[in-house]
Amino acid sequence: MSNTHIQVREVGLRDGLQSIARTLDTQHKLEWLRAAYDAGVREIEVGSFVPARLLPQLADTAELVDYARTLPGLTTSVLVPNLKGAQAALDSGAHVMLLPLSASHAHSLANLRKTPDAVVEEIGRIRSLRDSSGSACLIEVGMSTAFGCTIQGLVDESEVMRLVQAVLDAGADRVGLADTVGYADPLQVKRLFEKGFAVAGHRLACGHFHDTRGLGLANVFAAWETGIRRFDTCTAGIGGCPHAPGASGNVSTEDVAYLFASMGQPTGLDFDSLIALRARVTGWLEGEAFYGSVWRAGLPKTMQPQAVGTACA
Amino acid sequence: MSNTHIQVREVGLRDGLQSIARTLDTQHKLEWLRAAYDAGVREIEVGSFVPARLLPQLADTAELVDYARTLPGLTTSVLVPNLKGAQAALDSGAHVMLLPLSASHAHSLANLRKTPDAVVEEIGRIRSLRDSSGSACLIEVGMSTAFGCTIQGLVDESEVMRLVQAVLDAGADRVGLADTVGYADPLQVKRLFEKGFAVAGHRLACGHFHDTRGLGLANVFAAWETGIRRFDTCTAGIGGCPHAPGASGNVSTEDVAYLFASMGQPTGLDFDSLIALRARVTGWLEGEAFYGSVWRAGLPKTMQPQAVGTACA
């Protein structure tokens, strides 16, 4: 991971779509995927290898992986809940499998029907499976509810760090910290990511933030300050959390692109293309809740190409 | 100014109301003022001493100052555009007069029909007037468009710092930096406030941010990191900028209160009272655009009094 180049992983096709009831048809998903790629996104979480009866919205994940793998330079990421899903991910040829592990015991039991330590054991089995398959698919653990939990409330930071160490010991290639329910504040983000770097070094490789209470971008900035350069984002900020009525979803791709562009940090993303994609996605999903801010006001004059270096009037 | 206690100045009655066409009646303004005070706000910008023909929305400023001065411990702040307004502020008994000075020459000419240096001269005259009156009213300069300008585009940081020094030399007691049009990013905020502290020391005493492009709270956090402990905020984030269609207004009081509460930084503000005030204000101003996030999702379980210290499952 470069120390300066910002990497954005578009997760709308998974985290976004799994949170809404309707199913977006495969053709539109493929258009979304392609448009994100054309806008400069170089990692996309295209779906999840969970049973289709649980998440019919994501039943076409293998088809999306097939298409994503045809796009040069694109890292194809899929979510995998267990060993069976890992086998499907390996079969699909995805480049990264994201394994969720809830730092909150209560959330882990509710969401995966396993304790966090049982998930750690499953990660060990997935590592063995990956190694014996000869695949180069990276195993990334997404440490969810790392900043608090809607069921359990507080999640002890030392427990989060114990689990970070445990998943690395079990064979994860890298780990990210996720504010699944939008509880994090920027000071907490700095504290936990600094602790995370002390445990995991460069293997701490992703920040995942929801904008439930308006602090999404402040938390992205705080994580960036600790050295994180890779972030999960979602076009139009769709998603939300079934446990938090009225809550918004992941930080929006457009806003995160704007944040880093305004800070002079290269992302490789084309702002106008992201705004155009947002318009298409919100059209396809009309009636759902959308979030994000910068699409309303557009780029400031100071960031418009024709204005750079000018000082009219 | 304490190094730890966060001071929030509610500016909705001035910056918020001056940006919308309709006039809120005085009785509702008094209720707003009182409810903000009851929620723990200890500084309120109640209006502006500008000619009523220019801003009929704020014609009752003197009446609001009269009432505000009856509330123990409340600092009453008014905006003042020139010497005549300063005389009115002194006559009213306000505790702070806020003098806007646009760091952008183009904005200064458009907004005040004066160059920034002509405004600096006026500040000198206002200082003489204040001193000769025997009043203890503080003279605070709000350095607007300090982070960029919708008319001029870029505003040179060295020009901002030259003007900070100039207004202090002219007799301002303190100065704040304002992102009037929502152009600032958190790195720029850190850079400019650090430069500002080097020039003005503790007399750099306010951060004023708009949430036009989603970075409002990230910018508040960045300014806090440099040592700023006093911020302008607006109930329900009303306001906006006539030069930026679709743009939102000041950072919302509720969201800023939540940001600092979540960071464990005392503000003296009661969250539930602020949310209740938001509901009243949005009712009075039905049809206007409102902003802010935390009112939708409410406080996280980790911040609800009954949940502190518990870890249910």
Side-chain angles (χ1 to χ4, degrees):
Chain A
M1 183 173 59
S2 155
N3 193 38
T4 53
H5 192 80
I6 305 294
Q7 296 174 55
V8 158
R9 171 164 56 186
E10 165 70 34
V11 300
L13 290 162
R14 199 277 302 171
D15 203 352
L17 291 180
Q18 80 169 40
S19 306
I20 60 181
R22 71 212 275 179
T23 298
L24 186 66
D25 61 275
T26 304
Q27 186 54 41
H28 283 134
K29 290 187 187 182
L30 292 171
E31 289 180 37
W32 181 344
L33 201 162
R34 178 65 198 223
Y37 177 77
D38 289 342
V41 176
R42 285 298 173 268
E43 183 168 0
I44 302 181
E45 191 175 60
V46 302
S48 180
F49 283 115
V50 292
R53 66 178 164 79
L54 292 180
L55 281 178
Q57 302 98 314
L58 307 182
D60 53 4
T61 295
E63 191 175 343
L64 269 72
V65 174
D66 280 345
Y67 177 70
R69 291 181 64 220
T70 67
L71 301 174
L74 179 65
T75 297
T76 305
S77 183
V78 291
L79 188 134
V80 157
N82 51 31
L83 192 66
K84 195 172 170 191
Q87 184 63 60
L90 293 170
D91 294 343
S92 76
H95 304 110
V96 175
M97 61 171 92
L98 182 76
L99 317 180
L101 183 152
S102 292
S104 154
H105 288 233
H107 189 267
S108 188
L109 291 171
N111 196 39
L112 296 165
R113 275 169 290 178
K114 290 178 191 162
T115 65
D117 288 291
V119 176
V120 170
E121 287 174 23
E122 187 83 344
I123 291 166
R125 288 187 284 271
I126 290 172
R127 171 64 185 250
S128 298
L129 178 71
R130 193 273 311 268
D131 288 353
S132 65
S133 78
S135 164
C137 183
L138 285 171
I139 298 172
E140 176 172 338
V141 171
M143 189 72 66
S144 49
T145 62
F147 299 87
C149 168
T150 44
I151 306 168
Q152 177 176 305
L154 295 168
V155 175
D156 194 57
E157 293 184 1
S158 63
E159 173 67 358
V160 177
M161 290 304 123
R162 181 186 77 78
L163 289 166
V164 167
Q165 185 65 62
V167 301
L168 294 175
D169 291 345
D173 297 302
R174 56 194 191 192
V175 61
L177 298 177
D179 179 27
T180 314
V181 296
Y183 275 20
D185 71 74
L187 272 190
Q188 184 188 21
V189 166
K190 290 187 85 159
R191 194 170 60 238
L192 208 63
F193 275 90
E194 281 165 3
K195 288 183 179 180
F197 275 117
V199 171
H202 71 281
R203 293 200 285 170
L204 179 63
C206 193
H208 177 107
F209 298 103
H210 284 242
D211 194 33
T212 312
R213 292 171 177 83
L215 302 189
L217 292 172
N219 290 334
V220 168
F221 173 68
W224 178 85
E225 285 196 298
T226 71
I228 288 291
R229 295 294 177 267
R230 183 162 160 269
F231 297 92
D232 287 344
T233 68
C234 178
T235 296
I238 62 167
C241 171
H243 300 293
S248 55
N250 293 89
V251 287
S252 88
T253 306
E254 315 86 71
D255 284 6
V256 171
Y258 168 67
L259 167 68
F260 286 115
S262 68
M263 284 165 54
Q265 303 298 310
T267 61
L269 298 171
D270 180 71
F271 183 78
D272 291 338
S273 300
L274 292 178
I275 296 295
L277 172 57
R278 178 198 162 92
R280 293 169 72 186
V281 168
T282 57
W284 298 331
L285 298 174
E286 201 179 338
E288 302 294 341
F290 308 110
Y291 299 93
S293 291
V294 72
W295 67 275
R296 270 199 304 265
L299 291 180
K301 190 167 189 169
T302 42
M303 286 175 66
Q304 289 161 10
Q306 65 275 23
V308 170
T310 69
C312 63
Chain B
M1 185 172 60
S2 156
N3 194 37
T4 52
H5 191 80
I6 305 294
Q7 296 174 54
V8 158
R9 171 165 56 185
E10 165 71 34
V11 300
L13 290 162
R14 198 279 301 171
D15 203 351
L17 291 181
Q18 80 168 40
S19 307
I20 61 180
R22 71 212 275 179
T23 298
L24 186 66
D25 61 275
T26 304
Q27 186 54 41
H28 284 134
K29 290 187 186 182
L30 293 171
E31 288 179 38
W32 182 341
L33 200 162
R34 177 67 199 221
Y37 176 78
D38 288 342
V41 176
R42 285 298 174 266
E43 182 168 1
I44 302 180
E45 191 174 60
V46 303
S48 180
F49 283 114
V50 291
R53 66 180 165 77
L54 293 180
L55 281 178
Q57 302 98 315
L58 307 182
D60 52 4
T61 295
E63 190 175 345
L64 269 72
V65 174
D66 280 345
Y67 177 70
R69 291 180 65 221
T70 67
L71 301 173
L74 179 65
T75 297
T76 304
S77 183
V78 291
L79 188 134
V80 156
N82 52 29
L83 191 66
K84 196 173 169 190
Q87 183 63 60
L90 293 170
D91 293 344
S92 77
H95 304 108
V96 175
M97 60 170 92
L98 181 77
L99 317 180
L101 183 153
S102 292
S104 154
H105 288 233
H107 188 269
S108 188
L109 290 172
N111 197 39
L112 295 166
R113 275 169 291 179
K114 289 178 191 162
T115 65
D117 287 289
V119 175
V120 170
E121 287 174 24
E122 188 82 343
I123 290 166
R125 287 187 285 272
I126 290 171
R127 171 64 186 249
S128 298
L129 179 71
R130 192 275 310 266
D131 289 353
S132 64
S133 78
S135 164
C137 182
L138 283 172
I139 298 172
E140 176 171 339
V141 171
M143 189 71 66
S144 48
T145 63
F147 299 86
C149 168
T150 44
I151 307 169
Q152 176 176 307
L154 295 169
V155 175
D156 194 58
E157 293 185 1
S158 62
E159 173 67 357
V160 177
M161 289 304 122
R162 180 186 77 79
L163 289 166
V164 167
Q165 185 65 64
V167 301
L168 294 175
D169 291 345
D173 297 302
R174 56 193 192 192
V175 61
L177 297 177
D179 179 27
T180 313
V181 296
Y183 274 21
D185 71 74
L187 272 191
Q188 183 188 20
V189 166
K190 291 188 85 159
R191 194 170 60 238
L192 208 63
F193 274 91
E194 281 165 5
K195 288 183 179 182
F197 274 118
V199 171
H202 71 280
R203 293 200 285 171
L204 179 63
C206 194
H208 177 108
F209 299 103
H210 284 242
D211 193 34
T212 312
R213 292 171 177 81
L215 302 188
L217 292 172
N219 290 335
V220 168
F221 173 67
W224 177 85
E225 284 196 298
T226 72
I228 288 291
R229 295 294 178 268
R230 182 163 161 269
F231 297 93
D232 287 345
T233 68
C234 178
T235 296
I238 62 166
C241 170
H243 301 294
S248 56
N250 293 88
V251 287
S252 88
T253 305
E254 315 86 72
D255 284 6
V256 171
Y258 169 67
L259 167 67
F260 286 114
S262 67
M263 285 165 52
Q265 304 297 310
T267 60
L269 298 171
D270 180 70
F271 183 78
D272 291 337
S273 301
L274 292 178
I275 296 296
L277 172 58
R278 179 198 162 91
R280 292 169 73 185
V281 168
T282 57
W284 297 331
L285 298 174
E286 200 178 338
E288 303 293 342
F290 308 109
Y291 299 92
S293 291
V294 71
W295 67 275
R296 271 198 303 265
L299 291 180
K301 190 167 189 169
T302 42
M303 286 175 67
Q304 290 161 10
Q306 67 275 22
V308 170
T310 69
C312 62

